[in-house]
Amino acid sequence: YPLALRLKERGCAVTMLLGARGESHLLAALEARRTARSVTVVTADGSVGRKGPADDLFGAALPEVLDRAAADVVYAAASTPSLARVARAAESHGAWCQTALTQPGVCGTGLCQGCAVPVAGEDGLVRSARACADGPVFRGDRVQWDQLATGTGGGRP
């Protein structure tokens, strides 16, 4: 919500897509309506907004929201599988995507490499970035989602 508020203060049109298991899991939906021009809510149980399966809350709604909003940039915070879907949808829509990736970390400084994320650089080479030190926000088109999901290429010792 702080990002949405900042964008709104800068004159950007903010459209939000919120997903949760049910109404009790929605975080500050009222605040979202105060900061965004448009809010689409998807809940797995259908208690609020559109009903959608818990494992793919953004599957059907996201492309529709991207088209309706004519989005140039997508900011996402969600589970890793959902972030991968958001990044792919944003890329196919032609939007730039920033993903807030949560990785388990032990040291919080990047020394242990426990939070390694495979990320392609400008040169196309895949390197390990540390979520705690280099992130947690990464460009969605640069994260190697398949390697991250399988645990290969993450750079862990």
Side-chain angles (χ1 to χ4, degrees):
Y1 298 112
L3 174 60
L5 187 57
R6 278 280 170 94
L7 291 169
K8 184 178 177 182
E9 288 170 355
R10 291 182 178 183
C12 299
V14 177
T15 301
M16 280 193 195
L17 174 59
L18 302 176
R21 284 184 268 176
E23 184 174 11
S24 64
H25 290 90
L26 276 173
L27 298 176
L30 182 59
E31 188 174 342
R33 296 198 188 284
R34 290 183 189 138
T35 58
R37 176 182 68 181
S38 170
V39 178
T40 300
V41 178
V42 179
T43 54
D45 64 6
S47 58
V48 178
R50 295 170 53 167
K51 184 176 182 174
D55 62 341
D56 191 14
L57 290 174
F58 301 116
L62 182 60
E64 183 181 305
V65 170
L66 288 172
D67 287 340
R68 187 176 65 236
D72 294 321
V73 181
V74 175
Y75 300 97
S79 67
T80 300
S82 291
L83 288 176
R85 284 191 291 275
V86 169
R88 288 185 195 107
E91 189 172 3
S92 68
H93 177 76
W96 190 63
C97 183
Q98 291 286 307
T99 58
L101 186 60
T102 303
Q103 286 290 92
V106 179
C107 71
T109 64
L111 291 174
C112 73
Q113 294 289 313
C115 61
V117 178
V119 178
E122 292 285 333
D123 57 7
L125 294 176
V126 177
R127 297 176 179 85
S128 289
R130 301 160 301 168
C132 68
D134 303 319
V137 177
F138 297 97
R139 279 184 46 179
D141 64 331
R142 297 284 174 90
V143 174
Q144 304 301 294
W145 298 105
D146 294 336
Q147 291 179 25
L148 184 62
T150 62
T152 62
R156 295 185 179 149

